[in-house]
Amino acid sequence: MESGAAAAGGLGGARFPFPYTPYLIQERFMAALYGALEAGRVGIFESPTGTGKSLSLICGALSWLRDFEEKKRREEARLLAPAESGQEAKKPLTPAGPAPPGSRDTAGEPDWVTAFVQKKEERDMVDRLKEEQIRRKKREDRLEKIRHNVQLKYAAKRKRSEEDETKHLLQLSKEVLSEGAGVDVLEQLDHNEEELILAEYESDEEKKVVSGLEEDDDDLEEEHVTKIYYCSRTHSQLSQFVREVQKSPFGKDTRLVSLGSRQNLCVNEEVRRLGALSLINDRCMEMQKNKHEKKSDGESEGKKRRASRTVCPFYSYEQMQFLRDEVLVEVKDIEQLVALGRETKACPYYGSRYAIPAAQLVVLPYQMLLHEPTRSAAGIKLKDQVVIIDEAHNLIDTITCIHSVEVSGSQLCCAHSQLLQYMERYRKRLKAKNLMYIKQILYLLERFVAMLGGNVNQNPSCQAVSQTGTVLKSINDFLFQSQIDNINLFKVQRYCEKSLISRKLFGFVERYGGPATAVKTNKENQKLGGLQNFLLTLQQGSDKEGAPQIPAMEAANDQLQTASPLMQIEGFLSALTNANQDGRVILSRQGTVGQSSLKFLLLNPAVHFAKVVEECRAVIIAGGTMQPVADFREQLLSCAGVDPARVVEFSCGHVIPPENILPIILCSGPSNQQLEFTYQTRDLPQMMDETGRILCNLCNVVPGGVVCFFPSYEYEKQVYAHWEKTGLLTRLATKKKIFQEPKKANQVEQVLVEYAKCIKRCSQAGGQMTGALLLSVVGGKMSEGINFSDDLGRCVIMVGMPYPNIKSPELQEKMTWLDKTMPRAAGQAPSRVLIENLCMKAVNQSIGRAIRHQKDFASILLLDHRYARPAIFNKLPQWIRERTQVKPAFGSAFAELRKVRTCILCTATKTVSHCTHPYFSQTFTLE
């Protein structure tokens, strides 16, 4: 891999190519990362946003991979050299010393047997290395040819165009022939209906079925080279990371592949229109199955006429091979990959999967790596590989959410009705085993609804629940009480997966759920009217009085298009196969059965993370704000069986000068009211008044944008209404235009745009209005992933401590589980530590929004005297903690804010005029 514009010195003399001269903290980060990968450690790495974390990860990790590959090549050459010259290998696999004749080794074997086995192992290893070399040479030659021969691309394109034209002409001729033959339309409909019927289910036992797809996979099977799996939270974060790789010194010669879901990568418009991910997945798999069944259908065409089944035109082995090579030749993000798929008429989802074995860097979302079935389906092999999980501050919650699932009473009743109708229609066509499993699923659905206090045969929206409330049960208790402990859920789960029953059911409802569909009038179809009417009553029953009524047909179609409820229920059945101690089932009984729900809550995320850390050579958990790290060490790594000696922690400071940030813990307000926003005191009028006075004073001296975080939407609304009533909001509005964070995600961008425009307008115009005030919520849309850099966030205020709701049944169960399974830390119960850590993680994410680059500056105000307690204070990020001042009185804090802000602006502009600016010459007021 080529060098960049600058190279940083690193661990053990290692050099890190870098696009510019790196900061000292970046050099330290890369050196620590290199050391962790070399030693096979599990690392927790913290580097604040704005310090070039992504580039440090790229250059540090790829430098290690470059050196590792070079060492491996040298070792291979050393082992192959004597074999090629016909000599014995210089270094035997096992130590061999002089031994007397007839001696035996420790295992009791004669020495000649040991020598023979040793030589055979050496020969096998040399043969294996030779094969690897040949494969690698073939791949490198192939990619080099594509890289330098543009004509190949045009030839492939021309060939594709010719194939498309031929297919089109064949289709036209078939249509003409069928018209001439006068094919009965109703008969054709019956043939199309064949694809809704479940195929014969052969066996309950796990066995390798050699399907056409698996044959293709075997053809494409290639030795997995040592690689780095990089995963992050969102699609945009992954795209940003790929762009950083493209700009880095490694961008030209790194084999990178971006993975995503079918929802992001599918280029078949017919499938994309389905919308829901589960529908897209099932439709895609069914189209593949149809493609592989085509051959056998063709063979039996003379005996029995079969329906023509839809196949995906993009699922072409030859074109996907071409796309795979294109992906490996040049670094591409997901958007570029999709564009390439459309251009080459090849499936990007499978083409990118086929590129995994030869790739050096695989970029993928959290879910694909952390969910084992998804990981396995994507062909990801973690054995002896490196995993980097970025933006990992919410890793524990992410694993918990991925493996937790909730189903409503409406979904259960709807699935039961659909499946019953399906069974009645196709009873004569279904094999015995299919009927057996369908009856089992129907029984499960019936018992689940009974556990919610309802009857599956009645409309869930009209069934009132007698005993409302929330009940938590262990998995075993739930299975026994619902009387399903005699059913093998593993077999049912496997049946759902192999038979694609949810997809068949969705197709069935899609066909017969609406009145517009042409269906022959017979007794069976009359029965199906009940399904349509049932779905409509579900929709109408859930509408509140006075709400605008949706036309019945549209309502039913919308509900059907969202997703088949059975798909969601399959996830719940799968969750029930977890170990009894690792999860709980939450029965939430609300007003009606339809509003009630069953939820599986995962308590021990470590069971799903354990395989990752066991298989990988090294795992790096990285983020801008990882404090407090105790959760990662204890709840995740320790419970996953990671040796504490294998865990390494690294945390670096910020690149900004110390004077560019002023964090203050404020213990009392302008009228000496102690600041303690507990659930008991925060609603008091004097507390809300004091918060308003603090904001009024700050808005007088802080230019640009001020972002104020509240613990919840409800409290923010309450405070806003109080200020409106007292007239304080009017006083605030004279200095800053006030914006509120919207609850709806699609409105966030518009509010941010208006907020930014207002700040820019005020800075240019001058006058009394000095900027804008944004009232936000901790854990809301603006507390993560949004940058309030420069004038957008000159001051960030945290009102109180955003502790989670400890009355939540889920949280209470988690606390109980932790107290039972974890040791006490520093005299504190694990449940208490959890509550504090959840609070401080949220605080750290929110206050980290302000400083985003080296020349940025901002102040941070924590409004609650409890932040000064050592246990809480030590959970702030190190780079903020070491600069934080605790101010018992508001006066000294206000003076500090004026002084620091004046100094910064004087330094930045090198003019005296800003030092006497009216914003900084005021004293604070008690109004």
Side-chain angles (χ1 to χ4, degrees):
M1 295 183 181
E2 63 189 40
S3 296
L11 193 77
R15 304 287 290 173
F16 300 108
F18 217 74
Y20 53 82
T21 305
Y23 304 127
L24 180 61
I25 60 170
Q26 287 179 311
E27 290 183 4
R28 288 176 182 160
F29 186 102
M30 290 186 289
L33 177 62
Y34 191 106
L37 299 182
E38 185 65 20
R41 299 293 189 90
V42 176
I44 302 172
F45 278 64
E46 181 181 53
S47 180
T49 306
T51 56
K53 170 170 59 75
S54 295
L55 261 179
S56 300
L57 281 169
I58 291 164
C59 296
L62 291 177
S63 292
W64 171 82
L65 187 61
R66 171 201 62 191
D67 294 349
F68 177 82
E69 287 176 346
E70 184 55 38
K71 276 191 281 188
K72 192 177 176 184
R73 274 194 290 269
R74 285 203 301 266
E75 181 65 13
E76 282 179 9
R78 186 187 67 76
L79 289 166
L80 288 172
E84 285 169 4
S85 60
Q87 300 169 11
E88 292 295 323
K90 292 176 186 175
K91 185 180 175 183
L93 290 172
T94 53
S103 67
R104 291 174 177 267
D105 69 358
T106 51
E109 295 287 356
D111 54 357
W112 66 268
V113 173
T114 307
F116 175 80
V117 170
Q118 186 178 310
K119 282 183 181 178
K120 187 178 184 307
E121 285 176 354
E122 286 172 6
R123 281 196 301 273
D124 289 348
M125 186 173 65
V126 168
D127 290 343
R128 195 164 58 248
L129 290 174
K130 281 181 179 176
E131 283 175 19
E132 278 181 28
Q133 272 194 341
I134 292 166
R135 267 201 303 265
R136 189 164 61 237
K137 184 77 170 63
K138 273 185 181 176
R139 182 183 66 233
E140 286 169 359
D141 289 348
R142 190 177 71 239
L143 297 181
E144 198 63 24
K145 200 173 178 183
I146 291 171
R147 193 177 281 118
H148 296 296
N149 193 347
V150 184
Q151 292 301 318
L152 274 176
K153 293 185 184 180
Y154 289 119
K157 251 181 149 179
R158 195 164 54 248
K159 188 180 175 187
R160 281 192 303 277
S161 299
E162 288 168 3
E163 285 174 356
D164 287 349
E165 196 174 340
T166 307
K167 281 180 187 174
H168 182 60
L169 288 169
L170 279 170
Q171 185 62 33
L172 283 173
S173 63
K174 278 182 184 176
E175 286 172 10
V176 170
L177 285 169
S178 64
E179 282 172 17
V183 177
D184 187 352
V185 176
L186 291 177
E187 187 186 345
Q188 188 61 42
L189 274 173
D190 282 348
H191 283 304
N192 288 340
E193 202 173 344
E194 287 278 345
E195 64 187 65
L196 298 178
I197 299 171
L198 291 161
E200 184 174 359
Y201 188 64
E202 291 179 1
S203 173
D204 295 333
E205 304 306 318
E206 286 285 3
K207 65 174 186 177
K208 182 169 173 65
V209 180
V210 186
S211 69
L213 173 62
E214 286 165 342
E215 284 170 10
D216 286 354
D217 284 349
D218 291 338
D219 291 342
L220 288 162
E221 189 60 42
E222 192 176 347
E223 192 71 26
H224 279 244
V225 302
T226 301
K227 60 175 61 48
I228 295 162
Y229 287 98
Y230 171 90
C231 60
S232 193
R233 200 162 50 92
T234 65
H235 173 68
S236 59
Q237 286 167 343
L238 293 171
S239 293
Q240 177 62 34
F241 179 82
V242 173
R243 286 193 288 273
E244 291 286 337
V245 174
Q246 288 169 334
K247 290 187 289 185
S248 79
F250 297 92
K252 290 278 189 269
D253 54 356
T254 297
R255 298 190 301 277
L256 179 148
V257 56
S258 295
L259 300 182
S261 66
R262 286 180 175 91
Q263 204 167 27
N264 288 325
L265 291 175
C266 180
V267 289
N268 186 329
E269 289 305 321
E270 180 200 329
V271 178
R272 284 175 66 86
R273 277 197 292 271
L274 291 170
L277 177 60
S278 52
L279 296 181
I280 291 172
N281 285 342
D282 274 6
R283 183 63 177 146
C284 174
M285 287 162 68
E286 188 179 41
M287 288 172 107
Q288 288 172 45
K289 197 174 177 185
N290 292 345
K291 184 180 179 73
H292 300 305
E293 284 176 356
K294 253 190 159 184
K295 291 178 185 176
S296 57
D297 285 356
E299 288 165 11
S300 61
E301 195 175 351
K303 300 174 186 175
K304 183 181 176 182
R305 185 179 173 189
R306 296 292 298 257
S308 65
R309 299 186 176 192
T310 313
V311 297
C312 183
F314 297 92
Y315 191 75
S316 157
Y317 172 68
E318 188 182 344
Q319 295 312 126
M320 288 190 295
Q321 269 191 319
F322 177 77
L323 185 134
R324 173 199 64 186
D325 292 343
E326 280 288 316
V327 166
L328 293 172
V329 162
E330 188 182 13
V331 173
K332 293 176 178 63
D333 63 19
I334 282 189
E335 285 78 13
Q336 292 166 325
L337 184 58
V338 169
L340 180 66
R342 288 200 174 103
E343 183 191 332
T344 59
K345 294 282 194 298
C347 174
Y349 178 77
Y350 284 103
S352 58
R353 263 180 52 174
Y354 295 149
I356 293 172
Q360 295 167 306
L361 180 58
V362 179
V363 178
L364 68 166
Y366 275 173
Q367 290 82 349
M368 198 170 275
L369 185 105
L370 298 172
H371 189 239
E372 190 181 359
T374 308
R375 192 165 71 229
S376 176
I380 294 166
K381 296 179 180 177
L382 296 182
K383 185 69 177 166
D384 298 328
Q385 308 292 13
V386 169
V387 164
I388 297 174
I389 303 171
D390 201 2
E391 301 298 330
H393 54 275
N394 282 335
L395 181 60
I396 294 172
D397 291 340
T398 301
I399 298 171
T400 302
C401 288
I402 288 171
H403 296 91
S404 297
V405 63
E406 185 171 16
V407 290
S408 68
S410 285
Q411 287 176 314
L412 293 167
C413 290
C414 185
H416 185 276
S417 176
Q418 290 178 3
L419 195 56
L420 192 61
Q421 298 278 0
Y422 177 88
M423 186 180 75
E424 288 300 320
R425 177 163 179 81
Y426 300 119
R427 182 185 287 275
K428 292 175 184 175
R429 299 291 307 275
L430 294 171
K431 301 290 182 183
K433 258 188 183 157
N434 280 318
L435 284 170
M436 180 190 79
Y437 277 112
I438 288 173
K439 284 175 181 175
Q440 281 190 358
I441 296 168
L442 286 169
Y443 176 73
L444 289 170
L445 296 172
E446 187 183 320
R447 295 312 307 159
F448 290 160
V449 173
M451 287 296 283
L452 293 174
N455 184 328
V456 78
N457 296 314
Q458 295 175 17
N459 190 327
S461 302
C462 302
Q463 293 184 70
V465 175
S466 54
Q467 294 180 331
T468 57
T470 303
V471 182
L472 282 94
K473 297 184 183 296
S474 69
I475 298 172
N476 287 349
D477 285 348
F478 176 77
L479 297 178
F480 284 121
Q481 288 175 30
S482 56
Q483 299 171 19
I484 60 170
D485 52 296
N486 59 329
I487 292 179
N488 188 330
L489 293 178
F490 290 95
K491 286 187 176 183
V492 174
Q493 180 198 352
R494 194 157 59 244
Y495 171 77
C496 291
E497 184 187 323
K498 298 286 184 190
S499 68
L500 296 179
I501 186 169
S502 56
R503 171 62 218 171
K504 304 284 185 187
L505 190 61
F506 176 75
F508 168 72
V509 175
E510 203 175 26
R511 178 178 290 274
Y512 294 120
T517 317
V519 182
K520 285 197 294 182
T521 307
N522 56 31
K523 287 180 183 177
E524 286 180 349
N525 289 331
Q526 285 168 8
K527 289 179 187 175
L528 291 170
L531 168 62
Q532 183 191 328
N533 293 333
F534 176 76
L535 291 172
L536 296 183
T537 55
L538 277 185
Q539 179 65 38
Q540 291 160 357
S542 63
D543 288 335
K544 294 181 181 175
E545 285 185 25
Q549 291 294 316
I550 302 167
M553 190 174 78
E554 287 178 28
N557 287 343
D558 285 348
Q559 183 171 354
L560 293 173
Q561 284 299 331
T562 307
S564 167
L566 189 60
M567 294 176 187
Q568 184 82 355
I569 292 158
E570 281 179 19
F572 182 70
L573 291 173
S574 177
L576 291 178
T577 61
N578 275 278
N580 184 53
Q581 68 272 19
D582 292 333
R584 295 289 181 271
V585 179
I586 302 169
L587 285 76
S588 177
R589 298 188 181 107
Q590 304 302 324
T592 65
V593 171
Q595 294 167 338
S596 303
S597 66
L598 296 173
K599 181 179 180 180
F600 175 80
L601 174 69
L602 181 71
L603 293 175
N604 184 12
V607 293
H608 295 285
F609 195 62
K611 276 200 173 179
V612 176
V613 288
E614 280 168 16
E615 292 185 1
C616 290
R617 174 197 175 93
V619 176
I620 304 298
I621 303 169
T625 311
M626 297 299 286
Q627 291 293 336
V629 296
D631 283 357
F632 296 105
R633 279 201 314 267
E634 290 153 21
Q635 284 188 50
L636 207 55
L637 302 180
S638 178
C639 287
V642 179
D643 184 350
R646 193 186 169 198
V647 181
V648 59
E649 288 179 31
F650 176 87
S651 180
C652 63
H654 215 293
V655 292
I656 57 166
E659 64 273 12
N660 277 29
I661 183 171
L662 177 64
I664 292 176
I665 295 172
L666 191 59
C667 300
S668 61
S671 65
N672 292 324
Q673 170 75 46
Q674 188 186 45
L675 300 177
E676 185 174 359
F677 293 85
T678 63
Y679 285 111
Q680 292 75 29
T681 62
R682 71 183 192 180
D683 296 339
L684 297 173
Q686 57 264 38
M687 288 300 292
M688 293 189 276
D689 288 340
E690 197 74 343
T691 307
R693 290 188 198 104
I694 292 167
L695 277 175
C696 276
N697 283 289
L698 290 175
C699 289
N700 280 337
V701 299
V702 177
V706 174
V707 184
C708 182
F709 285 102
F710 289 87
S712 67
Y713 283 104
E714 290 70 26
Y715 188 58
E716 186 265 329
K717 275 185 182 176
Q718 186 182 346
V719 171
Y720 189 89
H722 180 79
W723 289 348
E724 210 167 22
K725 193 168 70 176
T726 60
L728 199 142
L729 206 62
T730 309
R731 292 206 300 276
L732 269 174
T734 60
K735 288 291 181 185
K736 304 279 186 192
K737 185 172 180 182
I738 300 167
F739 293 86
Q740 286 177 279
E741 176 179 331
K743 263 195 170 183
K744 292 183 179 176
N746 59 357
Q747 296 173 354
V748 170
E749 191 175 349
Q750 183 59 34
V751 171
L752 285 172
V753 167
E754 293 300 322
Y755 172 73
K757 278 182 183 174
C758 176
I759 291 168
K760 188 175 181 181
R761 198 166 51 243
C762 291
S763 67
Q764 290 170 348
Q768 190 179 10
M769 185 78 76
T770 65
L773 169 64
L774 179 60
L775 304 179
S776 300
V777 176
V778 175
K781 314 290 182 300
M782 296 181 183
S783 63
E784 284 191 43
I786 292 175
N787 299 339
F788 293 108
S789 58
D790 302 316
D791 279 349
L792 294 180
R794 288 303 179 203
C795 183
V796 173
I797 302 162
M798 178 64 62
V799 178
M801 298 186 70
Y803 282 110
N805 178 15
I806 57 169
K807 292 181 181 177
S808 155
E810 289 98 327
L811 186 56
Q812 284 184 343
E813 192 63 26
K814 179 82 174 178
M815 290 163 68
T816 305
W817 181 81
L818 283 173
D819 286 340
K820 282 180 183 175
T821 57
M822 298 282 178
R824 292 176 72 86
Q828 275 192 309
S831 56
R832 179 66 195 168
V833 175
L834 171 73
I835 296 299
E836 284 183 359
N837 288 351
L838 288 172
C839 168
M840 292 309 293
K841 275 183 190 294
V843 169
N844 294 340
Q845 276 303 304
S846 300
I847 63 178
R849 302 294 96 204
I851 301 292
R852 311 308 281 180
H853 58 84
Q854 189 184 19
K855 294 179 181 178
D856 208 352
F857 61 87
S859 55
I860 296 168
L861 260 75
L862 304 175
L863 306 186
D864 202 305
H865 75 94
R866 292 174 293 172
Y867 283 109
R869 293 175 183 171
I872 301 293
F873 183 79
N874 290 329
K875 288 174 181 175
L876 288 167
Q878 185 186 338
W879 66 278
I880 292 177
R881 187 172 67 235
E882 59 195 16
R883 304 171 193 188
T884 301
Q885 301 178 31
V886 180
K887 298 292 182 183
F890 183 74
S892 56
F894 190 74
E896 201 68 38
L897 279 164
R898 285 173 54 206
K899 181 175 67 177
V900 171
R901 197 62 73 243
T902 305
C903 290
I904 288 174
L905 286 185
C906 286
T907 306
T909 59
K910 302 291 183 187
T911 61
V912 182
S913 59
H914 280 80
C915 296
T916 56
H917 198 285
Y919 299 159
F920 300 101
S921 59
Q922 298 182 21
T923 56
F924 74 85
T925 62
L926 296 174
E927 292 177 6

